[in-house]
Amino acid sequence: MLNSAELTLPAGAAAISERATALGVYQLPIGPEDADRVPSERFEGQITRRTWRVDGSGTVLQILAPLRKQLAEQGFEVRLDCAARDCGGFSFRFGVEVVPAPDMMVDISRYHFLSAAKDEAAVSVLVSRAGGAAYVQVISVQPPEAVPAVVKPAVQQPADPEQPVELAKVLEVRGHAVLTDLVFDSGSTRLQDGSYSSLRELAAFLDANPQYRLLLVGHTDTVGSQEQNASISERRAQSVKERLAEAYGVEETRIDVVGAGYLAPIASNQIPEGREVNRRVEAVLLGK
């Protein structure tokens, strides 16, 4: 039986999200970005993606160092250990898998990445400070027959429902945000009726910040041609614009729309879970 990583996070770490894939492939980054490519090693097995928010003034290295030590004590061999600029900065950040905001927030100038492997098991740790807090992402892979990875805070604390990550903070820190609560009619570009917290927050943000405009970008999976998907994704972005104008009073002149089709995936299109994540609408912050 192969051992999987067991990590203890800092006291006060609040769990944000957990995504599990029973059997999949993870490309473990093993080198800094080079010529728009991040060197990686293929691992296949059970993949678990978890994120936490750590409030307080702890630095990225203060959070990462104990996790690195725990992995070494468990026999994991470090494959990559780098800070933002040494990793490749912007290019590295967008060349590796990152759980979408607001579940994971990354400031491209303040992050540290660590990857390690042991036999057929692998783990990567990404820590960044953004918006006054630190965020931790752990992606672990273990063979199907291995014991599932265990990651726990030193003091068990559920995420505080009173302190969600605000969409406005995501926009200000990253310049774009996925509108994760939108629901479209099956096989349609029509946004379902109902109240969406992301749209309320967008409307309030625009009202409070007249210096900004928005670009709504529709995205799809890779089923069908790019031409078809570009058209579908643009119509979905347009339906979001219309809802913002009709239900929340946002001036249409402050919102542009575009369809990217399947050109900008944030997960693998080879599995159903990845295709579902890739079908999305993002808000991109623009200046007037």
Side-chain angles (χ1 to χ4, degrees):
M1 182 72 72
L2 294 169
N3 292 324
S4 57
E6 181 172 338
L7 298 176
T8 299
L9 268 75
I16 298 176
S17 70
E18 178 173 335
R19 297 167 169 83
T21 303
L23 181 62
V25 173
Y26 177 55
Q27 295 293 340
L28 180 74
I30 58 173
E33 177 269 337
D34 181 24
D36 292 327
R37 178 180 174 274
V38 176
S40 63
E41 183 176 346
R42 185 180 189 274
F43 284 84
E44 182 176 304
Q46 299 173 355
I47 305 174
T48 305
R49 302 165 176 86
R50 298 182 175 93
T51 62
W52 293 262
R53 172 178 172 138
V54 183
D55 290 318
S57 58
T59 67
V60 168
L61 277 178
Q62 285 174 331
I63 295 171
L64 180 78
L67 303 179
R68 179 200 292 129
K69 181 179 179 182
Q70 292 172 49
L71 287 171
E73 291 172 346
Q74 294 172 42
F76 279 80
E77 178 185 349
V78 172
R79 299 294 179 86
L80 177 62
D81 187 350
C82 60
R85 180 177 296 178
D86 294 334
C87 293
F90 179 92
S91 297
F92 180 87
R93 153 65 184 87
F94 287 96
V96 301
E97 181 177 347
V98 178
V99 172
D103 293 345
M104 181 63 190
M105 302 271 284
V106 181
D107 183 329
I108 61 172
S109 65
R110 293 194 297 170
Y111 72 80
H112 202 109
F113 184 88
L114 173 73
S115 68
K118 177 184 178 183
D119 299 321
E120 297 178 53
V123 61
S124 68
V125 181
L126 175 63
V127 182
S128 179
R129 289 201 64 86
Y135 293 83
V136 180
Q137 170 186 286
V138 175
I139 300 179
S140 60
V141 186
Q142 52 275 336
E145 69 273 15
V147 177
V150 176
V151 191
K152 56 186 179 181
V155 178
Q156 296 289 342
Q157 292 187 356
D160 185 352
E162 298 297 325
Q163 297 180 337
V165 180
E166 296 177 6
L167 185 63
K169 289 183 178 179
V170 179
L171 286 172
E172 290 171 348
V173 171
R174 299 190 62 194
H176 64 100
V178 178
L179 309 180
T180 57
D181 60 344
L182 303 183
V183 180
F184 291 88
D185 289 338
S186 179
S188 170
T189 59
R190 179 185 178 275
L191 185 63
Q192 284 189 7
D193 294 335
S195 177
Y196 296 100
S197 61
S198 64
L199 300 189
R200 287 199 305 274
E201 290 185 58
L202 272 181
F205 178 82
L206 289 172
D207 185 58
N209 296 276
Q211 72 274 27
Y212 291 130
R213 295 184 299 113
L214 282 182
L215 173 65
L216 295 175
V217 185
H219 299 271
T220 67
D221 57 28
T222 53
V223 177
S225 70
Q226 167 60 9
E227 183 178 3
Q228 292 172 324
N229 280 298
S231 176
I232 290 171
S233 58
E234 182 174 356
R235 293 203 302 273
R236 285 191 169 180
Q238 180 64 33
S239 69
V240 175
K241 172 181 177 176
E242 292 170 358
R243 184 66 57 86
L244 280 167
E246 295 168 2
Y248 300 95
V250 178
E251 296 177 20
E252 292 193 38
T253 56
R254 296 184 67 188
I255 305 175
D256 295 328
V257 300
V258 68
Y262 54 60
L263 296 180
I266 55 175
S268 171
N269 277 298
Q270 306 310 307
I271 57 175
E273 297 89 346
R275 291 193 292 274
E276 181 178 354
V277 170
N278 287 332
R279 296 190 292 267
R280 69 197 190 279
V281 175
E282 286 189 67
V284 179
L285 200 57
L286 302 174
K288 278 197 170 181

